[in-house]
Amino acid sequence: MAILIQLIGMLFQITSSDSEKINPKIISQEFIYENAPFPSCHASTLIETEDGILASWFGGTYERHPDVSIYTSLRDQKGWSTPTLVADGIENEVFRNPTWNPVLFQKPDGEVLLFYKEGPNPREWWGLYKKSNDGGKSWSKAIQTPPGFLGPVKNKSVTLSNGNLMHPSSFETNGIWTTHLEFTDANLENWYKIEVPGPFQAIQPTVLFHGDQKLQILTRTQEGVIATAWSEDNGKTWTELSSSGLVHNGSGIDAITLENGYHLLLCNPIPKGRNKLSLLGSADGLNWEEILVLEDEKSGEFSYPAIIQAKDGSIHLTYTYQREKIKYVHLSL
């Protein structure tokens, strides 16, 4: 009997170890569009709806140009739909602002939210959002976030265990980067925010889950590394930002916690440039390994990724490709 128990224990250890090994395989990869009414694009986001994968990004003459607007496209069984303009910064007949950094989020009740920013630059922009009750086919008028709040600034909002929403956010003011989390109820009411302390110039956090009320954020920084902080109480308090040990170029990142508790991180794991983009994996959020290289060229830009896990367990991700297109990749694990 003792030998049998020992064998069962060994089998459990092997099974547990194997479950932590992720071996991603590319199912498909493609550009969301080949032709569009704008020459430049950036900052994609995506969610899964009942109709397929809905993606959004900003596009225009170039980043910061007043004609930069927010576009969406839906991937169903027929492929990607033609990009549709869904938000812009037109104020009147003679003046308009550029728009920035869309973030898609689907509430537990199925309502889809599209957060984005409007303004001349990231130091002076303000937050807006639109609502959709038909999976992104139509949108409400723009609603401005309360003064002092931006909503999710690049990476997706998350639903906490208490049912409230947490929006990873940050400010860029006079060259100073600061990270904070914004909180609302499920109806986007009762806004408040919690700052994350620390010595890093850090923005655009992305959120990981570690069971119960334990959360982790990862951020881009000006210090050449990805920074991290932890909360044990659903984001009410945070440790100081500290180095994750991951060398990084300071560009946008995104991460998710899979249904099995494993963590994935998309980033540019190089000190300078945006010519390499990789998928990293971790069982604990502390020790990371490169599990898939998506792009690795001598020059070029592959940046600002977004990543989600679909209901079937597969992974969907998008990223900026040379500032000219949005690339989409579908992975199995």
Side-chain angles (χ1 to χ4, degrees):
M1 178 63 71
I3 295 176
L4 179 60
I5 293 175
Q6 185 178 11
L7 289 173
I8 292 174
M10 291 174 62
L11 178 61
F12 176 78
Q13 288 179 348
I14 293 172
T15 303
S16 299
S17 175
D18 287 346
S19 69
E20 293 180 354
K21 294 179 180 178
I22 299 295
N23 184 26
K25 302 288 187 182
I26 294 178
I27 299 174
S28 64
Q29 54 184 328
E30 62 207 21
F31 295 117
I32 290 181
Y33 59 85
E34 290 294 340
N35 299 292
F38 47 83
S40 180
C41 62
H42 198 39
S44 58
T45 175
L46 71 166
I47 59 170
E48 181 185 25
T49 71
E50 292 184 356
D51 299 317
I53 300 298
L54 181 67
S56 182
W57 63 91
F58 71 70
T61 301
Y62 54 81
E63 184 175 351
R64 298 174 184 264
H65 192 284
D67 69 6
V68 172
S69 303
I70 307 299
Y71 293 82
T72 62
S73 179
L74 177 70
R75 187 181 193 266
D76 57 19
Q77 295 179 349
K78 299 178 182 178
W80 290 100
S81 64
T82 302
T84 301
L85 192 155
V86 296
D88 57 42
I90 295 176
E91 294 293 331
N92 53 51
E93 293 180 356
V94 296
F95 181 77
R96 67 185 295 171
N97 280 306
T99 52
W100 312 72
N101 292 18
V103 179
L104 288 166
F105 176 71
Q106 188 167 32
K107 293 167 53 179
D109 63 6
E111 183 179 54
V112 176
L113 303 175
L114 173 65
F115 296 93
Y116 62 100
K117 271 61 64 186
E118 179 187 336
N121 57 65
R123 294 168 298 284
E124 301 175 90
W125 64 17
W126 56 91
L128 299 152
Y129 64 92
K130 293 188 173 188
K131 301 178 179 181
S132 175
N133 289 307
D134 55 12
K137 296 182 181 68
S138 62
W139 296 94
S140 70
K141 292 183 179 181
I143 304 166
Q144 189 167 339
T145 54
F149 294 87
L150 292 173
V153 78
K154 175 199 174 289
N155 295 317
K156 51 195 170 292
S157 300
V158 296
T159 303
L160 300 175
S161 59
N162 60 12
N164 289 336
L165 306 182
M166 186 171 78
H167 314 283
S169 197
S170 55
F171 291 133
E172 303 175 47
T173 307
N174 297 324
I176 304 299
W177 288 6
T178 57
T179 288
H180 66 273
L181 288 310
E182 298 178 0
F183 298 82
T184 66
D185 59 27
N187 295 317
L188 291 185
E189 297 176 348
N190 302 310
W191 290 74
Y192 69 95
K193 60 189 173 186
I194 303 293
E195 293 187 8
V196 181
F200 289 88
Q201 300 272 337
I203 57 172
Q204 298 177 353
T206 183
V207 183
L208 298 175
F209 291 85
H210 293 268
D212 198 18
Q213 299 186 32
K214 187 174 182 179
L215 307 174
Q216 178 187 9
I217 58 169
L218 297 167
T219 71
R220 61 184 286 193
T221 74
Q222 295 184 19
E223 286 79 11
V225 295
I226 291 175
T228 187
W230 299 76
S231 173
E232 299 281 351
D233 53 13
N234 255 352
K236 295 178 182 177
T237 60
W238 291 88
T239 65
E240 283 200 347
L241 284 166
S242 60
S243 174
S244 67
L246 295 171
V247 174
H248 195 248
N249 67 342
S251 180
I253 63 174
D254 196 15
I256 53 167
T257 299
L258 302 179
E259 289 297 325
N260 64 3
Y262 194 80
H263 312 288
L264 298 178
L265 167 64
L266 268 174
C267 64
N268 301 105
I270 47 179
K272 293 182 180 181
R274 299 182 176 186
N275 51 297
K276 181 178 180 180
L277 182 69
S278 294
L279 181 66
L280 279 59
S282 174
D284 57 9
L286 296 170
N287 302 287
W288 295 88
E289 62 175 339
E290 186 175 71
I291 58 176
L292 181 65
V293 177
L294 292 158
E295 304 283 354
D296 189 6
E297 303 292 341
K298 291 182 179 180
S299 63
E301 178 175 347
F302 316 106
S303 64
Y304 263 61
I307 185 170
I308 61 170
Q309 184 177 29
K311 293 179 181 178
D312 64 3
S314 66
I315 302 301
H316 300 262
L317 60 94
T318 55
Y319 54 92
T320 298
Y321 189 91
Q322 307 287 31
R323 290 279 178 150
E324 296 174 350
K325 295 180 180 179
I326 301 298
K327 190 169 183 179
Y328 160 82
V329 182
H330 187 195
L331 301 175
S332 68
L333 301 178

